[in-house]
Amino acid sequence: MDLDAYSEVHRDEWDRLDALGRRRRFTGREADELIERYQSGSTQLSAIKTVAGSTAQGDRLSVSLSRARLRFTGAGANVLRQLPLYFAVHLPAALYRIRWITLGVAVATLLIAALYAVWIVQNPAVVAALGSDAALKQYAEHDFIDYYSTNPAASFAGQVWTNNAWIAAQCLAFGILGVYVPYIVLQNAQNLGVSAGVLIQTGNGDVFVTYILPHGMLELTAIFVAAAAGLRLFWAWVAPGPLTRSRSLAENGRSLFTVAVGLVFVLFVSGIIEGFVTPAPWPWPVKITIGAAALAAFLVYMLVLGRRAARAGHTGDLEEFEAGATQLVAG
């Protein structure tokens, strides 16, 4: 199948399906047409997925079909009954869509941080520019550690959650600007690399590992995801494909808003770990194992459940979520 040719042949049908799905009121003839186009669109989506798997054309058709399904099921859905559908299908699907961008952001961040750390460790002049030996020793042996235990654990966890959620929200809100997300990534990598370099230079590299890894594995991954979502939104504006820029932004924005809501919960978990596990007087293998388990659970959720949801045709779009939830209640 030539996917572009197939899409061009059926474009008018899909546009009509999408237009009908956006209506609130129908004549009898329009209602019949909506059902007929829904049935033919479902067949066409099945053909696309059988031959080409997950594609942008298929994702857009899936959203149109979900919107149409909402119109002829027509029942309201209880919010509490929508939550299992959101967490089991739509959020992992939305996360899965940006997995490669997330990986790219992660590699770039860790590479830049490593370069900063090596630069500091191998250049005494750089270390001297950062502060006196006494000041750096104070930071490495006291300030860095005390940061995690100065405030009560619950209060500190709340502060960390709020701060990280704000950073994630900025990545999503200003991602369309293009330059803001790279700036955040660079700043985050620089802070991480400088801290690592100073602690390694002063002989406290083990402190850096035991106080960063427990919460940092999940926390940094959440920031990587937020940055990836922001970059995806920017790219939707730069390269909208066959869509107009406004429509491309709208469709991608709905999916990425799903990611934003999900990251609130992910960052809450990382905040709990940072507030209660990182400063705890436990053996370092125990603390790192807790952090690794949290990261592994998130990756399974994102990649395994997300892949399953994406193969089933879900995109993470909020309107698809609304349609699916309505159908669940109606059926």
Side-chain angles (χ1 to χ4, degrees):
M1 176 191 293
D2 184 331
L3 185 58
D4 291 334
Y6 187 81
S7 300
E8 190 62 33
V9 168
H10 295 286
R11 186 171 307 283
D12 290 342
E13 300 174 44
W14 298 346
D15 287 345
R16 178 59 177 166
L17 172 66
D18 190 68
L20 287 171
R22 293 177 184 275
R23 291 192 179 184
R24 299 295 178 179
R25 296 182 181 276
F26 300 90
T27 64
R29 180 176 296 177
E30 288 172 340
D32 291 340
E33 182 185 1
L34 175 65
I35 294 175
E36 290 174 2
R37 291 194 179 278
Y38 174 82
Q39 292 171 339
S40 61
S42 298
T43 301
Q44 291 155 4
L45 177 62
S46 177
I48 291 173
K49 288 189 173 296
T50 299
V51 174
S54 180
T55 63
Q57 294 93 328
D59 287 347
R60 287 193 291 273
L61 178 56
S62 177
V63 171
S64 297
L65 288 168
S66 297
R67 189 182 293 118
R69 187 166 60 245
L70 171 64
R71 296 297 170 252
F72 59 74
T73 55
N78 183 283
V79 173
L80 293 179
R81 294 192 64 180
Q82 294 182 43
L83 290 179
L85 186 68
Y86 170 80
F87 284 108
V89 175
H90 296 280
L91 177 57
L95 291 170
Y96 186 77
R97 287 182 65 190
I98 56 173
R99 63 195 184 282
W100 293 116
I101 309 176
T102 301
L103 178 62
V105 172
V107 170
T109 300
L110 296 178
L111 179 61
I112 294 170
L115 290 174
Y116 266 101
V118 170
W119 182 47
I120 291 171
V121 170
Q122 295 186 349
N123 291 274
V126 176
V127 176
L130 293 174
S132 65
D133 290 343
L136 295 179
K137 186 175 181 181
Q138 171 69 24
Y139 170 77
E141 297 180 358
H142 299 284
D143 296 346
F144 184 83
I145 297 172
D146 293 344
Y147 167 76
Y148 296 98
S149 57
T150 300
N151 297 311
S155 175
F156 179 64
Q159 292 174 8
V160 168
W161 180 31
T162 302
N163 180 66
N164 289 331
W166 173 240
I167 293 174
Q170 287 178 307
C171 287
L172 288 160
F174 301 115
I176 192 174
L177 300 177
V179 297
Y180 188 80
V181 171
Y183 167 74
I184 290 293
V185 170
L186 178 60
Q187 186 180 57
N188 199 36
Q190 181 182 20
N191 292 338
L192 188 65
V194 169
S195 295
V198 169
L199 267 72
I200 293 171
Q201 177 66 26
T202 56
N204 293 279
D206 58 328
V207 174
F208 178 81
V209 171
T210 55
Y211 276 82
I212 288 293
L213 285 187
H215 66 275
M217 287 185 283
L218 182 60
E219 177 182 281
L220 287 172
T221 301
I223 299 301
F224 298 156
V225 169
L231 291 173
R232 181 67 184 85
L233 191 61
F234 172 68
W235 192 248
W237 177 77
V238 172
L243 302 178
T244 63
R245 281 188 168 82
S246 59
R247 184 172 174 183
S248 178
L249 283 173
E251 292 189 2
N252 282 277
R254 287 193 297 267
S255 176
L256 298 177
F257 184 78
T258 302
V259 173
V261 175
L263 288 181
V264 171
F265 296 95
V266 177
L267 289 170
F268 175 76
V269 174
S270 72
I272 293 295
I273 295 174
E274 187 168 358
F276 291 89
V277 176
T278 296
W282 302 340
W284 66 265
V286 173
K287 297 195 289 185
I288 292 179
T289 298
I290 292 173
L295 175 61
F298 176 74
L299 292 179
V300 168
Y301 181 78
M302 177 182 183
L303 300 177
V304 178
L305 293 186
R307 182 169 180 263
R308 185 181 304 165
R311 283 190 165 186
H314 300 287
T315 64
D317 188 288
L318 286 180
E319 289 198 15
E320 182 195 7
F321 169 47
E322 180 187 0
T326 302
Q327 186 183 36
L328 176 65
V329 174

